[in-house]
Amino acid sequence: MKILVIGSTGLLGTDLCRVLSRNHELIGWARKPASSPRNLPERLLFETVDITDRERVADGIRRHRPAVTILTAAMSDVDACEKEPSLAMKINAHAVQHVAEGCAAAGSLLVAISTDYVFDGLAGRAYKESDSPHPINQYGLSKLEGEKMVLSAGARSVVIRVSGLFGNGRLNFVSSAAEAFLNNRPVRVVTDQINSPSSTADLALALEAFVSQIAEDPALPTVLHLANTGAASRLDVAEEIASVLKKPASLIEKTTWPQLNRPAKRPTYTELDSRLFTRLTGFAMKPWRQALREYLLQNYS
């Protein structure tokens, strides 16, 4: 199967390309080349493409005619989105529309990755696909607008929301905390936000199962949730990292988002319920602690 991954050098895109390149014809797009060529699989046709360029996007999708397009690219710096809402909307919504329109014209199934930040975090339980979004910051608002663009463009499409990503594609909370622990530096963590910490390696395997098993299903759902199971605060995650790396938990410094005084509000509880994804594909996500331990032992032992 020919698959186009947009955002192929990002946090999720890196692991997605590594997994998909084993069994599929793969094209990778990113705004900039990978920081290290070693991060790109050998069996990948890589192209530098800015998805805010409507004509470049349309021409590229028309030329390659992928059976499936997976859109992982986004402006994901939450505070930067808050400070530059117009840019966030340009990348997370208007550029997404360009991709969706290109997929509709080329007959490519569009799998668009979205976020738990489309929710306000006030439900007090895991969010299901049927729950109504209500973003509380510009990042979540722009991603929700992107979801609407995907589902209204006329392409066969599905939005897949993810949460709390960690992996090797780029710097993230888990990798930063692990490096700090290994160097016996303090690790400052917020205690007032809970989500579903999720391994990009696990998500990549799940997305491959989705593409391979139900991409041709005419009854494809419009929205799915996908995350490692369970919920955790950053404090929970930091304590688990310290335990795995055999470092003292006394290195952890607790704080809250109001104390940090960041530009953007964060939703307090955005665990995602992935049971529908499992029912459709048969692919069961691991508990977050198991996924985190596997990542740490593979990369930091």
Side-chain angles (χ1 to χ4, degrees):
M1 183 185 300
K2 184 185 286 189
I3 300 175
L4 168 62
V5 175
I6 302 177
S8 59
T9 61
L11 183 54
L12 177 55
T14 297
D15 271 326
L16 193 54
C17 287
R18 176 183 55 79
V19 169
L20 292 176
S21 65
R22 297 188 295 224
N23 299 306
H24 301 278
E25 182 182 352
L26 195 63
I27 304 126
W29 284 3
R31 190 169 58 88
K32 296 179 180 178
S35 56
S36 171
R38 291 178 299 175
N39 291 338
L40 295 175
E42 289 184 7
R43 295 178 57 195
L44 170 70
L45 173 60
F46 176 80
E47 297 176 344
T48 302
V49 177
D50 182 347
I51 61 171
T52 64
D53 184 337
R54 182 193 295 265
E55 291 188 6
R56 178 77 172 87
V57 168
D59 177 69
I61 296 176
R62 181 172 57 248
R63 177 165 41 87
H64 289 298
R65 293 203 167 272
V68 178
T69 298
I70 305 178
L71 176 59
T72 71
M75 182 176 175
S76 56
D77 184 321
V78 178
D79 290 323
C81 288
E82 202 68 19
K83 290 185 284 189
E84 298 186 81
S86 296
L87 181 60
M89 199 64 70
K90 179 180 180 181
I91 296 171
N92 292 341
H94 302 152
V96 171
Q97 183 178 20
H98 302 165
V99 174
E101 291 172 346
C103 288
S108 177
L109 169 66
L110 174 57
V111 179
I113 304 301
S114 191
T115 174
D116 56 329
Y117 273 53
V118 300
F119 297 112
D120 57 19
L122 299 179
R125 55 163 174 78
Y127 281 95
K128 299 180 179 180
E129 292 84 353
S130 57
D131 288 315
S132 297
H134 186 247
I136 61 171
N137 55 41
Q138 292 296 324
Y139 171 62
L141 180 63
S142 65
K143 290 294 289 183
L144 180 59
E145 286 302 306
E147 291 186 8
K148 294 175 182 177
M149 299 293 186
V150 167
L151 299 177
S152 65
R156 288 189 68 238
S157 57
V158 58
V159 169
I160 298 185
R161 297 179 182 137
V162 299
S163 172
L165 303 189
F166 61 87
N168 290 321
R170 71 160 187 248
L171 197 65
N172 56 85
F173 170 71
V174 169
S175 62
S176 298
E179 292 290 346
F181 278 124
L182 289 174
N183 289 283
N184 296 306
R185 298 196 310 268
V187 178
R188 200 177 192 191
V189 298
V190 295
T191 60
D192 55 346
Q193 182 182 12
I194 293 172
N195 59 17
S196 297
S198 297
S199 160
T200 55
D202 287 357
L203 293 177
L205 292 171
L207 288 167
E208 181 184 39
F210 174 82
V211 167
S212 301
Q213 294 178 31
I214 69 166
E216 300 301 323
D217 189 340
L220 197 67
T222 55
V223 178
L224 287 170
H225 290 174
L226 180 60
N228 285 113
T229 61
S233 68
R234 285 197 174 184
L235 176 60
D236 297 325
V237 173
E239 289 175 340
E240 188 68 19
I241 297 170
S243 174
V244 173
L245 299 182
K246 297 181 171 55
K247 292 294 182 177
S250 59
L251 288 170
I252 297 172
E253 297 179 351
K254 301 176 186 177
T255 187
T256 64
W257 284 118
Q259 287 174 323
L260 291 177
N261 196 30
R262 294 288 182 82
K265 292 181 179 179
R266 267 68 171 180
T268 54
Y269 192 104
T270 53
E271 178 187 1
L272 295 180
D273 184 335
S274 302
R275 287 178 293 179
L276 177 57
F277 185 95
T278 298
R279 286 200 300 271
L280 290 172
T281 64
F283 191 99
M285 295 293 286
K286 301 168 189 166
W288 71 264
R289 287 185 190 274
Q290 180 184 346
L292 178 60
R293 282 180 169 268
E294 289 176 0
Y295 168 78
L296 293 170
L297 291 174
Q298 182 178 356
N299 293 280
Y300 297 97
S301 61

